[in-house]
Amino acid sequence: MLFHITQVHSPELCPRDEGGSNSLFDATVEGVKLIGRYGANAQHTLFLVVEADDVNAVHRFLWPGFKRCTSTVTPVSEVPVPKD
């Protein structure tokens, strides 16, 4: 299953000088494949697309950012809704 994740942090908690935005997630978590990573850096917002079968794995993936940012996790699909 694909998930779109939006991570937002405040300027005061910006990880710019402490590992950067890649420090807000753990790409090595088993069961999660990072598909895409995009930043709206001036807005302190990170957009991620991951593939995972277990929401707990997604939580482990996001664990490093839990004290710095909020995350919205939305299941998404490449397949349109059937018309029948």
Side-chain angles (χ1 to χ4, degrees), residues 3 5 29 32 50 52 54-63 73:
F3 295 92
I5 300 167
V29 168
V32 178
V50 300
D54 179 11
V55 72
N56 290 319
V58 175
H59 292 159
R60 286 190 301 276
F61 173 84
L62 295 172
W63 187 253
V73 180

Side-chain angles (χ1 to χ4, degrees), residues 1-82:
M1 175 177 269
L2 292 175
F3 295 92
H4 178 272
I5 300 167
T6 303
Q7 279 189 324
V8 179
H9 59 270
S10 67
E12 297 79 25
L13 295 176
C14 185
R16 183 192 72 181
D17 298 327
E18 300 171 35
S21 57
N22 287 338
S23 69
L24 298 176
F25 60 89
D26 182 356
T28 68
V29 168
E30 189 173 324
V32 178
K33 179 180 178 186
L34 181 61
I35 305 294
R37 180 205 172 289
Y38 312 92
N41 298 318
Q43 295 176 6
H44 299 275
T45 303
L46 184 63
F47 303 99
L48 306 157
V49 177
V50 300
E51 184 175 9
D53 292 328
D54 179 11
V55 72
N56 290 319
V58 175
H59 292 159
R60 286 190 301 276
F61 173 84
L62 295 172
W63 187 253
F66 271 27
K67 290 187 175 185
R68 287 193 168 210
C69 57
T70 59
S71 298
T72 303
V73 180
T74 306
V76 295
S77 173
E78 297 177 86
V79 180
V81 176

